[in-house]
Short mmCIF file of all heavy atoms in Angstrom, two decimals:
data_model
loop_
_atom_site.label_atom_id
_atom_site.label_comp_id
_atom_site.label_asym_id
_atom_site.label_seq_id
_atom_site.Cartn_x
_atom_site.Cartn_y
_atom_site.Cartn_z
N GLY W 10 -2.94 27.34 6.69
CA GLY W 10 -1.98 28.00 7.57
C GLY W 10 -1.22 26.94 8.37
O GLY W 10 -1.82 26.00 8.84
N ASP W 11 0.09 27.10 8.52
CA ASP W 11 0.83 26.10 9.28
C ASP W 11 0.46 26.19 10.75
O ASP W 11 -0.24 27.11 11.16
CB ASP W 11 2.35 26.24 9.09
CG ASP W 11 2.88 27.47 9.81
OD1 ASP W 11 2.12 28.45 9.95
OD2 ASP W 11 4.04 27.46 10.22
N PRO W 13 1.77 24.50 14.86
CA PRO W 13 2.68 23.62 15.60
C PRO W 13 2.04 22.25 15.85
O PRO W 13 0.93 22.17 16.35
CB PRO W 13 2.91 24.35 16.91
CG PRO W 13 2.52 25.77 16.64
CD PRO W 13 1.44 25.72 15.62
N ARG W 72 -2.29 27.57 0.31
CA ARG W 72 -3.74 27.64 0.35
C ARG W 72 -4.32 27.36 -1.05
O ARG W 72 -5.28 27.97 -1.48
CB ARG W 72 -4.20 29.01 0.86
CG ARG W 72 -3.81 29.28 2.31
CD ARG W 72 -4.49 30.51 2.86
NE ARG W 72 -4.05 30.85 4.19
CZ ARG W 72 -4.55 30.33 5.31
NH1 ARG W 72 -5.49 29.41 5.25
NH2 ARG W 72 -4.09 30.72 6.49
N ILE W 126 -4.81 26.52 14.59
CA ILE W 126 -4.60 27.18 15.90
C ILE W 126 -5.91 27.79 16.38
O ILE W 126 -6.07 28.03 17.57
CB ILE W 126 -3.48 28.25 15.86
CG1 ILE W 126 -3.84 29.42 14.94
CG2 ILE W 126 -2.14 27.66 15.50
CD1 ILE W 126 -3.02 30.67 15.18
N ALA W 142 -0.64 28.07 20.54
CA ALA W 142 -0.96 29.47 20.25
C ALA W 142 -1.41 30.20 21.53
O ALA W 142 -0.98 31.32 21.80
CB ALA W 142 -2.05 29.54 19.19
N ILE W 145 1.56 30.84 23.87
CA ILE W 145 2.39 31.98 23.41
C ILE W 145 1.69 33.29 23.76
O ILE W 145 2.32 34.23 24.25
CB ILE W 145 2.65 31.85 21.90
CG1 ILE W 145 3.55 30.64 21.62
CG2 ILE W 145 3.25 33.13 21.33
CD1 ILE W 145 3.64 30.24 20.15
N GLU W 167 -3.70 42.08 20.09
CA GLU W 167 -4.49 41.48 19.00
C GLU W 167 -3.97 40.08 18.72
O GLU W 167 -2.79 39.87 18.46
CB GLU W 167 -4.36 42.36 17.75
CG GLU W 167 -5.21 41.86 16.59
CD GLU W 167 -5.04 42.72 15.32
OE1 GLU W 167 -5.19 43.95 15.42
OE2 GLU W 167 -4.74 42.14 14.26
N VAL W 168 -4.88 39.10 18.81
CA VAL W 168 -4.50 37.71 18.57
C VAL W 168 -5.22 37.20 17.33
O VAL W 168 -6.15 37.82 16.83
CB VAL W 168 -4.84 36.80 19.79
CG1 VAL W 168 -4.05 37.22 21.02
CG2 VAL W 168 -6.33 36.79 20.09
N MET W 169 -4.81 36.02 16.84
CA MET W 169 -5.46 35.45 15.66
C MET W 169 -6.83 34.91 16.01
O MET W 169 -7.14 34.67 17.19
CB MET W 169 -4.58 34.38 15.02
CG MET W 169 -3.49 34.99 14.14
SD MET W 169 -2.63 33.73 13.19
CE MET W 169 -1.65 34.76 12.09
N GLU W 221 -8.55 39.11 15.93
CA GLU W 221 -8.41 39.91 14.69
C GLU W 221 -9.75 40.10 13.98
O GLU W 221 -9.96 41.06 13.26
CB GLU W 221 -7.42 39.25 13.74
CG GLU W 221 -7.87 37.84 13.34
CD GLU W 221 -6.89 37.06 12.48
OE1 GLU W 221 -5.94 37.64 11.95
OE2 GLU W 221 -7.10 35.84 12.34
N GLN W 234 -6.87 44.04 6.40
CA GLN W 234 -5.55 44.54 6.03
C GLN W 234 -5.50 44.73 4.53
O GLN W 234 -4.81 45.56 4.01
CB GLN W 234 -4.52 43.49 6.43
CG GLN W 234 -3.35 44.06 7.18
CD GLN W 234 -2.45 42.96 7.63
OE1 GLN W 234 -1.89 42.26 6.81
NE2 GLN W 234 -2.35 42.79 8.93
N ARG W 245 -7.70 39.23 4.12
CA ARG W 245 -6.68 39.25 5.17
C ARG W 245 -7.10 40.24 6.27
O ARG W 245 -7.27 41.44 6.01
CB ARG W 245 -5.32 39.66 4.59
CG ARG W 245 -4.20 39.34 5.56
CD ARG W 245 -2.85 39.68 4.99
NE ARG W 245 -2.55 39.00 3.75
CZ ARG W 245 -1.57 39.35 2.94
NH1 ARG W 245 -0.82 40.38 3.22
NH2 ARG W 245 -1.35 38.66 1.84
N LEU W 246 -7.28 39.72 7.49
CA LEU W 246 -7.72 40.56 8.59
C LEU W 246 -6.52 41.18 9.30
O LEU W 246 -5.40 40.73 9.17
CB LEU W 246 -8.50 39.72 9.60
CG LEU W 246 -9.79 39.06 9.10
CD1 LEU W 246 -10.41 38.21 10.20
CD2 LEU W 246 -10.78 40.12 8.63
N VAL W 269 0.49 43.34 18.21
CA VAL W 269 -0.14 42.35 17.32
C VAL W 269 0.72 41.10 17.36
O VAL W 269 1.87 41.12 16.91
CB VAL W 269 -0.28 42.90 15.90
CG1 VAL W 269 -0.93 41.87 14.98
CG2 VAL W 269 -1.07 44.21 15.89
N LEU W 270 0.18 40.01 17.89
CA LEU W 270 1.01 38.80 18.03
C LEU W 270 1.20 38.07 16.70
O LEU W 270 2.21 37.42 16.47
CB LEU W 270 0.43 37.86 19.08
CG LEU W 270 0.46 38.39 20.50
CD1 LEU W 270 -0.09 37.37 21.48
CD2 LEU W 270 1.87 38.81 20.91
N GLY W 271 0.20 38.14 15.82
CA GLY W 271 0.35 37.61 14.47
C GLY W 271 0.91 36.20 14.40
O GLY W 271 0.55 35.32 15.17
N HIS W 272 1.84 36.00 13.45
CA HIS W 272 2.32 34.66 13.17
C HIS W 272 3.24 34.09 14.23
O HIS W 272 3.56 32.90 14.20
CB HIS W 272 3.02 34.64 11.80
CG HIS W 272 2.06 34.83 10.67
ND1 HIS W 272 1.71 36.09 10.23
CD2 HIS W 272 1.31 33.96 9.96
CE1 HIS W 272 0.82 35.97 9.26
NE2 HIS W 272 0.56 34.69 9.08
N VAL W 273 3.63 34.93 15.22
CA VAL W 273 4.40 34.37 16.36
C VAL W 273 3.60 33.23 16.98
O VAL W 273 4.16 32.23 17.44
CB VAL W 273 4.65 35.49 17.41
CG1 VAL W 273 5.24 34.91 18.68
CG2 VAL W 273 5.55 36.56 16.85
N GLN W 274 2.26 33.39 16.97
CA GLN W 274 1.40 32.35 17.57
C GLN W 274 1.43 31.02 16.82
O GLN W 274 0.99 30.01 17.33
CB GLN W 274 -0.07 32.84 17.56
CG GLN W 274 -0.30 34.05 18.44
CD GLN W 274 -1.57 34.79 18.00
OE1 GLN W 274 -2.61 34.64 18.59
NE2 GLN W 274 -1.46 35.61 16.98
N ARG W 275 1.88 31.04 15.58
CA ARG W 275 1.89 29.81 14.80
C ARG W 275 3.28 29.19 14.70
O ARG W 275 3.42 28.09 14.16
CB ARG W 275 1.39 30.09 13.37
CG ARG W 275 -0.06 30.44 13.28
CD ARG W 275 -0.72 29.87 12.05
NE ARG W 275 -0.02 30.07 10.82
CZ ARG W 275 -0.51 30.77 9.77
NH1 ARG W 275 -1.70 31.33 9.85
NH2 ARG W 275 0.16 30.87 8.65
N GLY W 276 4.30 29.95 15.19
CA GLY W 276 5.66 29.49 14.97
C GLY W 276 6.21 28.68 16.13
O GLY W 276 5.68 28.67 17.23
N GLY W 277 7.31 27.99 15.84
CA GLY W 277 8.10 27.33 16.90
C GLY W 277 7.52 26.03 17.38
O GLY W 277 6.60 25.46 16.80
#
Side-chain angles (χ1 to χ4, degrees):
D11 73 330
R72 295 191 185 276
I126 64 162
I145 292 167
E167 183 182 308
V168 297
M169 279 189 171
E221 60 184 347
Q234 228 175 63
R245 195 178 301 165
L246 298 178
V269 180
L270 294 183
H272 292 88
V273 171
Q274 295 158 99
R275 291 217 312 242

